[in-house]
Amino acid sequence: MNFEDALAALKKHVEPGRAKGMASYHKQTREVLGIANPALNDLTKSWRLTLSVPERVALAADLWSSDIFEARLAASKLLTQARIRPDDAAWDLIQSWVPEFDSWAIADHACMAGQKRLVADPSRIDQVEAWTTPDHMWTRRAALVITLPWTKQNFPKTRELEIRDRVLGWAASYATDHTWFIQKAVAWWLRDLSKHDAARVTAFLDAHGDSMKPFAAKEARRYLK
């Protein structure tokens, strides 16, 4: 399947009148076709089943390059799978997208794909750390979103705890950055972690909570007793 085939398949699922509302909700200036997420899920699932890994990476690159909203979502969904062998090309492609992030929906879908690749090879955390310092807000935010799997272990191993503490260090450096999306990402990371490691979240908030925006600190504490 090439890009033209994929785009034609996408356009078969356009819902008349949907594009305007989606563009407004997601604050998009790029082209929005008006396709519901379940349709994108079904399409990309069928493509994953029929395309080889190199074909999927190539198609994902072309879909992303089109700069169509749903095509970028589809590009991410093509690579959202736990087992991809080999996966270096997929990881490199996802990394190449990060500097282009400009909206939460596209960024979150790409980060979901990236989470799978990061879990498959946690040593890639070294590359993610470089995302914590650029001026580009969406890149800094992505460092937290892509590492969310490390908030979820109930019985983390030593290496998992090391990564958890490393990311908490990044979050601490973000505490005084009052950009809404950064504060929301810090709160998201802490809130999810609090379900499995309340002690670390409490310690973080004791140290940095006063530096955070009140809404973010409140969100981070949502599940703490």
Side-chain angles (χ1 to χ4, degrees):
M1 174 179 288
N2 58 29
F3 168 73
E4 289 75 18
D5 294 334
L7 184 59
L10 286 169
K11 288 183 174 179
K12 289 180 181 179
H13 294 275
V14 169
E15 297 181 14
R18 187 181 183 91
K20 183 177 180 180
M22 287 179 61
S24 176
Y25 177 73
H26 292 289
K27 297 179 172 60
Q28 294 297 297
T29 56
R30 60 175 48 86
E31 181 180 2
V32 178
L33 299 175
I35 304 172
N37 202 49
L40 289 176
N41 288 337
D42 290 343
L43 269 180
T44 52
K45 181 179 179 180
S46 67
W47 294 345
R48 289 199 305 265
L49 292 173
T50 58
L51 298 175
S52 68
V53 171
E55 289 170 338
R56 285 163 55 188
V57 171
L59 180 57
D62 288 342
L63 287 166
W64 185 273
S65 294
S66 74
D67 200 28
I68 298 169
F69 179 71
E70 290 92 341
R72 287 199 162 186
L73 300 188
S76 301
K77 291 174 183 291
L78 262 178
L79 302 182
T80 305
Q81 184 175 340
R83 293 187 178 185
I84 298 178
R85 297 289 186 274
D87 74 342
D88 285 343
W91 172 244
D92 289 345
L93 180 60
I94 293 165
Q95 283 199 96
S96 75
W97 294 341
V98 175
E100 298 181 37
F101 289 170
D102 58 9
S103 70
W104 64 265
I106 291 173
D108 288 1
H109 276 82
C111 283
M112 287 175 64
Q115 287 172 12
K116 304 295 186 183
R117 308 282 49 83
L118 197 55
V119 170
D121 184 356
S123 71
R124 290 168 172 156
I125 199 79
D126 293 337
Q127 295 167 278
V128 175
E129 185 161 27
W131 303 359
T132 62
T133 55
D135 291 337
H136 186 234
M137 179 274 290
W138 293 103
T139 296
R140 298 196 309 278
R141 177 183 179 273
L144 295 187
V145 179
I146 204 170
T147 52
L148 280 168
W150 279 272
T151 67
K152 302 185 186 306
Q153 301 96 343
N154 282 317
F155 303 101
K157 299 176 182 177
T158 299
R159 176 58 173 155
E160 292 168 338
L161 284 175
E162 290 172 353
I163 293 175
R164 183 175 289 180
D165 287 334
R166 190 171 179 180
V167 179
L168 283 170
W170 305 345
S173 73
Y174 291 179
T176 57
D177 182 341
H178 288 177
T179 308
W180 190 89
F181 277 107
I182 294 294
Q183 289 288 301
K184 187 70 174 178
V186 172
W188 184 3
W189 218 92
L190 294 171
R191 182 197 65 206
D192 283 9
L193 179 60
S194 71
K195 301 175 187 177
H196 309 278
D197 194 342
R200 272 181 167 78
V201 175
T202 298
F204 182 99
L205 291 170
D206 286 345
H208 306 288
D210 288 345
S211 298
M212 296 168 62
K213 293 288 284 184
F215 86 86
K218 180 179 180 181
E219 178 70 9
R221 292 188 177 96
R222 181 190 297 186
Y223 298 117
L224 292 176
K225 295 181 181 179

